[in-house]
Amino acid sequence: MLSFSTEIVTIFSLSFLVGLSGAASPGPLIALNIRESIRHGFIAGPYIATGHSLLELVMVILLSMGLEKLLTIKGIPAVIALFGGSFLIYMAWGIIKNRAQESAPFRREQTEIPNHQLMKQPIISGILVTLGNPFWFVWWLTIGVTMLTRSSVIGSIGSIVFYLGHILADYSWLSLISFVISTGRKFLTKNVYFSIMVSCAIFLAITGLYFIISGSKQFITAL
């Protein structure tokens, strides 16, 4: 039987590695991070990770209270998929629609954004994009709840360590992306920037369409 300290290290390490594999997967949060990093620089990554982590804290608390039983009720997964898919398509449309305003990083004269506004925008965006991503719900209701249950065997400290390991992975990956984007910002031409954002929009639209189709099939089956 593992000692308490070994259990703590094991839970933290597994949580970090599994969380990193999820964070590194292409998704809406990565697309958002790329856009905001070009706009605001390195700090966008930690801010987005903060918004994402706040929502994940709520999820950990709710799962500990039995939320997974509610979300597996017939028809609920279909509603989540339909809502999330619609939100992703809306986000993709917003990127394409506002691409003219997205040229701000390449203007010589820019209006400085106050720090408090800069802080609010990416944090709120991180929360909304996370909430609108059905993959996030699926992950937590499968892998997340399994690991959380395993971690809670040693008590509430296990759940806390699991959460800390998981969000450290998010902070590490999103910050790394922001660092790479912000340091290479001067090498981004306007055309390259637009190409990146259009690619992100197309990815989000395809993902959203997939969820809408999947959710519609689930909804019809649930009737």
Side-chain angles (χ1 to χ4, degrees):
M1 185 174 180
L2 297 177
S3 65
F4 183 77
S5 58
T6 304
E7 282 277 14
I8 293 293
V9 173
T10 301
I11 291 171
F12 184 86
S13 300
L14 287 176
S15 177
F16 178 80
L17 292 174
V18 173
L20 190 61
S21 66
S25 301
L29 206 64
I30 299 297
L32 173 69
N33 197 33
I34 291 173
R35 187 185 73 176
E36 295 301 309
S37 296
I38 293 175
R39 280 176 163 181
H40 305 305
F42 167 76
I43 199 64
Y47 281 161
I48 290 172
T50 297
H52 180 72
S53 298
L54 288 173
L55 199 56
E56 297 212 307
L57 176 59
V58 174
M59 178 61 82
V60 168
I61 294 172
L62 292 177
L63 285 176
S64 300
M65 297 170 62
L67 177 68
E68 76 279 6
K69 296 177 182 178
L70 175 63
L71 293 183
T72 52
I73 294 175
K74 191 175 183 179
I76 296 298
V79 172
I80 292 174
L82 289 170
F83 169 78
S86 300
F87 180 82
L88 295 181
I89 290 178
Y90 173 77
M91 184 179 172
W93 174 77
I95 291 175
I96 298 299
K97 179 184 176 183
N98 297 321
R99 65 187 183 279
Q101 286 77 26
E102 296 295 328
S103 60
F106 306 98
R107 296 172 185 163
R108 292 184 179 179
E109 295 181 2
Q110 300 182 38
T111 302
E112 199 68 30
I113 300 176
N115 287 334
H116 67 280
Q117 291 184 22
L118 173 61
M119 182 175 70
K120 280 196 304 183
Q121 292 172 1
I123 289 178
I124 293 174
S125 296
I127 292 174
L128 293 176
V129 170
T130 298
L131 194 59
N133 181 12
F135 269 129
W136 182 73
F137 288 96
V138 172
W139 191 93
W140 274 103
L141 292 176
T142 53
I143 301 172
V145 72
T146 301
M147 295 188 68
L148 182 60
T149 301
R150 168 66 182 81
S151 302
S152 62
V153 169
I154 61 172
S156 58
I157 185 65
S159 300
I160 293 172
V161 170
F162 163 74
Y163 172 73
L164 293 177
H166 183 77
I167 65 169
L168 178 61
D170 293 324
Y171 272 101
S172 299
W173 184 252
L174 292 176
S175 296
L176 175 62
I177 290 177
S178 287
F179 175 76
V180 172
I181 293 293
S182 61
T183 54
R185 191 173 177 178
K186 60 184 177 180
F187 301 109
L188 287 174
T189 65
K190 189 173 182 178
N191 289 335
V192 170
Y193 172 76
F194 283 161
S195 297
I196 292 174
M197 296 317 302
V198 169
S199 297
C200 289
I202 292 173
F203 170 77
L204 292 176
I206 292 174
T207 304
L209 185 60
Y210 165 78
F211 280 119
I212 288 176
I213 294 174
S214 175
S216 298
K217 291 180 179 179
Q218 292 178 43
F219 188 76
I220 293 173
T221 303
L223 293 177

